[in-house]
């Protein structure tokens, strides 16, 4: 999760190549992001104020939109215009989608941990089995009989 309450795939992670662009790289100024999303820059500012799409900021507080931000702007516009959902509803949908994404990521982490623990358990089990003694044990065939045996304790003499 990012500092704004949303899941941001690559933001905040150190990359081997700092110049490598990803979907989360903040590269577009507000005018370019407005053109790419088909929205007015003032609409982008409003969405930012409402917390619907929160772009990264430069040191001078200028907004920098990523490709993922622009896709989210398009999704907000589509939900608003085509589906008739109000902005509060859209914000809730985005929050729930972010929560689902975070939970799916956590499930993946837990599955990996479980697989690692199972592999460790199998290794330890194999080590225990390998430590068994393999000596020959004499075997005597025990005769099965239907005789009744009564046990009587020895009496002190």
């Amino acid at each position: 999760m990012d500092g704004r309450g949303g899941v941001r795939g690559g933001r905040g992670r150190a990359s081997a190549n700092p110049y490598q662009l990803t979907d989360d790289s903040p590269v577009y100024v507000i005018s370019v992001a407005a053109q790419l999303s088909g929205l007015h820059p003032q609409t982008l500012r409003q969405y930012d104020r409402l917390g619907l799409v929160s772009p990264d900021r430069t040191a001078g507080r200028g907004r920098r939109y990523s490709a993922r931000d622009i896709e989210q702007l398009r999704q907000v516009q589509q939900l608003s215009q085509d589906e008739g959902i109000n902005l509060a509803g859209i914000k809730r949908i985005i929050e729930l989608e972010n929560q689902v994404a975070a939970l799916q990521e956590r499930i993946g982490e837990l599955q990996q941990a479980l697989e690692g623990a199972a592999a460790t358990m199998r290794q330890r089990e194999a080590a225990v089995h390998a430590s068994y003694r393999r000596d020959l044990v004499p075997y005597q065939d025990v005769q099965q009989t239907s005789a009744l045996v009564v046990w009587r304790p020895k009496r002190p003499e």
Side-chain angles (χ1 to χ4, degrees):
M1 294 192 100
D2 67 2
R4 297 177 297 261
V7 173
R8 307 303 281 203
R11 291 188 185 178
R13 292 187 194 158
S15 137
N17 180 357
Y19 302 106
Q20 182 178 356
L21 292 178
T22 66
D23 285 346
D24 290 318
S25 299
V27 293
Y28 303 107
V29 294
I30 193 166
S31 59
V32 175
Q35 285 179 338
L36 291 172
S37 64
L39 300 171
H40 192 276
Q42 199 59 33
T43 305
L44 274 62
R45 289 183 189 95
Q46 180 185 10
Y47 287 176
D48 187 10
R49 277 192 301 274
L50 295 173
L52 293 172
V53 178
S54 299
D56 281 351
R57 299 287 185 141
T58 64
R61 302 291 299 148
R63 293 173 177 87
R64 291 294 183 267
Y65 291 85
S66 67
R68 191 175 313 276
D69 291 331
I70 291 169
E71 183 58 37
Q72 194 166 8
L73 287 167
R74 290 177 182 152
Q75 180 186 14
V76 169
Q77 190 67 7
Q78 187 264 331
L79 288 170
S80 176
Q81 288 184 349
D82 298 345
E83 305 296 328
I85 300 172
N86 65 21
L87 295 179
I90 293 171
K91 183 175 182 178
R92 184 68 179 138
I93 289 169
I94 291 171
E95 288 170 353
L96 291 172
E97 286 176 344
N98 289 339
Q99 186 177 8
V100 167
L103 290 172
Q104 287 173 335
E105 186 176 326
R106 182 67 178 138
I107 287 170
E109 292 169 358
L110 291 173
Q111 284 175 330
Q112 287 179 345
L114 179 63
E115 290 167 3
T120 301
M121 189 233 10
R122 284 191 296 275
Q123 289 174 346
R124 289 180 181 172
E125 182 181 19
V128 167
H129 287 301
S131 71
Y132 291 160
R133 292 188 59 192
R134 305 266 191 256
D135 297 344
L136 293 177
V137 177
Y139 172 75
Q140 294 177 349
D141 193 16
V142 178
Q143 297 284 332
Q144 296 270 338
T145 171
S146 61
L148 180 63
V149 179
V150 177
W151 177 78
R152 293 191 181 142
K154 282 189 173 180
R155 296 187 184 183
E157 296 181 22

